[in-house]
Amino acid sequence: MTNAAIAYSTEVPVVADVDVLVIGGGPAGIGAAIAAARAGANVALVERYGFLGGNATAGLVGPFMTSFSDDGKTQLVKGVFDELVRRMEAFGGAVHPEYVRTGSPYSGFFSKGHDHVTPFDPEAVKLAAAEMMEQYGVRLFMHSFFLESLTEDNRVTGAIILNKSGLQAIRAKVTVDCSADGDVANSAGAAMEQGRKADGLTQPMTMFFRVAGVDDAAVLKYVEEHPEERDLLFGDLIAEKRKTGEWTVNKNHLGIYQTTQPGVWRVNTSRVQGLDGTKAEDLTKAEIAGRRQAFELVRFFRKYFPGFANAVLVDTATQIGVRETRRLIGEYMLTADDLISGRSFEDVIALYGYPIDIHSPNEVTTEFSKEFSTANIYQLPYRILVPEKKDGLLLAGRCVSATHEALGAIRVMPCAFALGQAAGVGAAVASQTGVEPRHVNIKEVQRILVEQGAVLPDENGQV
């Protein structure tokens, strides 16, 4: 029997007509849905899991990387992000970043890029995000997969989704693609690119996992006695055991982060290279490989690492953490030079300060790039959310219009919250004023963002 295409068509019921449709319930989607609803829009959010959070929950990725400027003096990401964190903090599910300084166990003992990270419990994200959706009246379509963009002429008009109720259609005045992979934009035919210029390779995937039974005091004692290892934890031991074949993971140091629970640590150490996060076959291979590495790593930890002699594997992530796939080709392409120079933009919609952090697609080392040194605070323009040609659509999260190098800085979760909030406000303003997202009054978008607690430069360009 040879492979053949099967023609399939059916009438799809329209289950909602909304102002703003958000596809994806990760950090960007949470930011977009809440912001659009707060701005007065009728909002629906589609999420494939039965909980929100994306990489923060299904991916077990954490902590939230810094939401502060590079010098640690100014919190740059507030708004929806800060509201979520403070809600979690109120019931013991997070530590606000203002209390977490560089080099702490919460920051994995790293110094660069890890000042003011936010430790959190993934279960707290699930509850706090859901409560916020209820509070602001966002209609949730959980357990629902995005299937295809609805388009008319050159305009996205909503989406077809799939869930246990069958195929469903949601029509929207504006759709916000927070799928992380640019699924909506790609389905609609928007221009996209993937990977680095030279060979198209993307940053590797990581299977996060958690271990319990760790002797926290023993880990802290070792790090205090070996300050030279703060940015390359157990680097010498790993190099030695790589030569003997006992260490097989293509990474040169240990990435571990203390959680809000005693004796429980997140592990960001597995590495799967050379696979494509937009292909189901590759994701399957990556998750099998990542879970195999998790078991291998726990055995290694128990044998060699101080404080881990009695460590046990608690869980692996529901899905492997994907750092990079498709990126939009938008009205503006953010570059490393923009982040290095701290370039000002009239349409600035977010500020950030995380350094360029490119995990090698094909080599062993994973360090912050020595080639680039970003500004203390840099600006992100609205135009990186806007497709070059497609209307009725905005993007937020790691699929925005940025080069491979620039994405290395803005792909992390606090920035995704900020970009999502900006896209949500932009979508709400577009839907309410009857203009395309690319033509919104950017001053009005900026005004609403500030009203919602986002941090933007004042009229003199100061923060």
Side-chain angles (χ1 to χ4, degrees):
M1 182 177 178
T2 58
N3 292 330
I6 297 174
Y8 177 77
S9 63
T10 184
E11 289 189 355
V12 180
V14 176
V15 295
D17 277 283
V18 297
D19 297 327
V20 177
L21 171 61
V22 178
I23 302 294
I30 294 169
I34 296 299
R38 288 184 61 185
N42 176 19
V43 182
L45 183 149
V46 173
E47 167 55 42
R48 63 173 168 164
Y49 293 115
F51 52 85
L52 301 170
N55 266 336
T57 51
L60 281 183
V61 177
F64 291 131
M65 285 292 98
T66 184
S67 53
F68 279 65
S69 55
D70 188 54
D71 63 9
K73 294 181 179 179
T74 307
Q75 187 175 353
L76 302 176
V77 182
K78 292 185 177 180
V80 174
F81 169 76
D82 206 62
E83 183 178 345
L84 178 75
V85 171
R86 292 191 183 278
R87 184 182 288 256
M88 292 191 292
E89 187 183 30
F91 54 78
V95 178
H96 194 275
E98 65 185 318
Y99 304 117
V100 182
R101 298 312 309 266
T102 185
S104 75
Y106 284 142
S107 65
F109 306 108
F110 291 100
S111 54
K112 188 170 181 59
H114 287 64
D115 198 7
H116 294 294
V117 301
T118 305
F120 65 89
D121 184 337
E123 296 303 315
V125 177
K126 294 176 184 178
L127 177 59
E131 288 182 342
M132 290 172 70
M133 296 296 166
E134 290 179 334
Q135 176 183 345
Y136 293 110
V138 175
R139 184 175 177 184
L140 295 176
F141 289 82
M142 309 289 273
H143 304 283
S144 299
F145 285 83
F146 166 78
L147 189 62
E148 187 176 357
S149 296
L150 293 173
T151 59
E152 293 179 10
D153 298 325
N154 196 46
R155 191 172 198 283
V156 176
T157 59
I160 296 176
I161 64 174
L162 175 65
N163 54 38
K164 282 189 175 293
S165 300
L167 293 173
Q168 297 179 328
I170 302 175
R171 288 190 294 229
K173 294 176 183 177
V174 180
T175 302
V176 184
D177 185 347
C178 298
S179 67
D181 300 313
D183 290 338
V184 182
N186 187 63
S187 172
M192 312 287 287
E193 64 179 25
Q194 187 163 326
R196 58 189 184 185
K197 285 286 186 184
D199 51 21
L201 293 179
T202 59
Q203 295 192 57
M205 306 182 213
T206 290
M207 176 59 73
F208 266 75
F209 60 94
R210 291 184 292 187
V211 293
V214 177
D215 184 338
D216 297 342
V219 178
L220 298 180
K221 182 175 184 292
Y222 177 87
V223 174
E224 289 172 358
E225 293 174 350
H226 298 81
E228 74 282 359
E229 291 192 18
R230 279 188 173 268
D231 284 320
L232 205 64
L233 190 59
F234 296 115
D236 290 342
L237 175 64
I238 289 171
E240 174 190 336
K241 298 305 178 184
R242 182 185 298 281
K243 294 176 183 176
T244 67
E246 288 186 83
W247 180 272
T248 61
V249 178
N250 219 16
K251 189 165 183 174
N252 64 352
H253 65 278
L254 183 63
I256 54 171
Y257 297 85
Q258 189 176 38
T259 72
T260 55
Q261 300 169 324
V264 179
W265 293 66
R266 294 180 193 258
V267 182
N268 176 8
T269 302
S270 77
R271 167 173 284 186
V272 182
Q273 296 169 312
L275 296 177
D276 185 343
T278 67
K279 296 179 179 178
E281 299 89 343
D282 279 11
L283 286 170
T284 301
K285 292 176 184 177
E287 288 175 347
I288 293 172
R291 291 193 172 94
R292 184 176 292 118
Q293 288 182 18
F295 277 86
E296 292 175 356
L297 287 166
V298 171
R299 287 195 294 269
F300 190 94
F301 294 176
R302 289 170 63 95
K303 185 175 181 180
Y304 289 112
F305 292 154
F308 283 82
N310 298 311
V312 294
L313 179 65
V314 174
D315 54 4
T316 58
T318 300
Q319 67 175 56
I320 196 161
V322 181
R323 292 183 174 88
E324 178 185 16
T325 55
R326 303 186 192 101
R327 303 187 310 277
L328 176 70
I329 297 176
E331 286 199 330
Y332 184 81
M333 178 75 72
L334 191 74
T335 69
D337 286 343
D338 294 330
L339 311 187
I340 293 166
S341 66
R343 178 180 176 181
S344 296
F345 296 96
E346 287 189 6
D347 61 336
V348 55
I349 42 76
L351 302 176
Y352 210 47
Y354 189 66
I356 293 175
D357 177 18
I358 302 174
H359 293 233
S360 174
N362 58 347
E363 297 177 355
V364 173
T365 56
T366 58
E367 300 177 67
F368 291 102
S369 176
K370 296 179 173 62
E371 183 181 352
F372 310 108
S373 180
T374 56
N376 180 48
I377 299 173
Y378 49 81
Q379 299 187 7
L380 306 178
Y382 179 77
R383 285 166 292 161
I384 69 173
L385 314 179
V386 183
E388 194 174 34
K389 296 179 180 178
K390 292 291 174 182
D391 286 325
L393 179 65
L394 290 169
L395 286 80
R398 61 172 168 79
C399 53
V400 298
S401 182
T403 64
H404 170 78
E405 294 76 19
L407 184 74
I410 67 168
R411 61 181 172 78
V412 294
M413 292 186 286
C415 191
F417 275 103
L419 293 173
Q421 183 163 1
V425 171
V429 171
S431 68
Q432 291 164 345
T433 57
V435 302
E436 294 298 342
R438 71 180 74 252
H439 296 313
V440 295
N441 182 336
I442 194 62
K443 296 297 184 185
E444 178 66 3
V445 171
Q446 292 167 333
R447 183 194 68 78
I448 295 172
L449 282 170
V450 171
E451 186 179 81
Q452 291 188 1
V455 179
L456 294 179
D458 62 22
E459 57 186 15
N460 298 316
Q462 302 300 308
V463 180

